[in-house]
Amino acid sequence: MAFTKEQVATLEAAIASGVLTVRYADRTVTYQSLDAMRRVLRQMRGEVSAVTGAKPRRRTIRLFQSGTGNV
């Protein structure tokens, strides 16, 4: 099944609002858990990026410490 960017956005909004039931056009899907929704979202993003040729975004975490470090 080919997913659309709109379906990805709909699922992201559902996850953000904490609901388990999502409506895609003429279908309604009720997920078992938030974890199940996140797994499907990863799959959707992967398929959409494969079709559009977009590379997955890399996450960078930067840490900053101020002060001398010696207490």
Side-chain angles (χ1 to χ4, degrees):
M1 174 180 191
F3 296 107
T4 65
K5 291 181 182 181
E6 292 78 21
Q7 289 173 323
V8 171
T10 301
L11 186 55
E12 288 173 335
I15 290 171
S17 64
V19 296
L20 296 176
T21 302
V22 181
R23 184 163 177 79
Y24 302 106
D26 60 340
R27 295 182 329 176
T28 301
V29 178
T30 301
Y31 294 93
Q32 294 177 348
S33 66
L34 182 59
D35 187 51
M37 293 174 82
R38 288 181 177 150
R39 282 194 307 268
V40 172
L41 181 59
R42 276 193 301 273
Q43 178 185 358
M44 285 178 154
R45 285 179 176 163
E47 289 185 20
V48 168
S49 66
V51 170
T52 61
K55 294 181 181 178
R57 293 174 50 185
R58 295 182 69 184
R59 183 174 293 179
T60 301
I61 299 174
R62 299 174 196 258
L63 301 175
F64 174 77
Q65 180 179 354
S66 64
T68 62
N70 296 329
V71 180

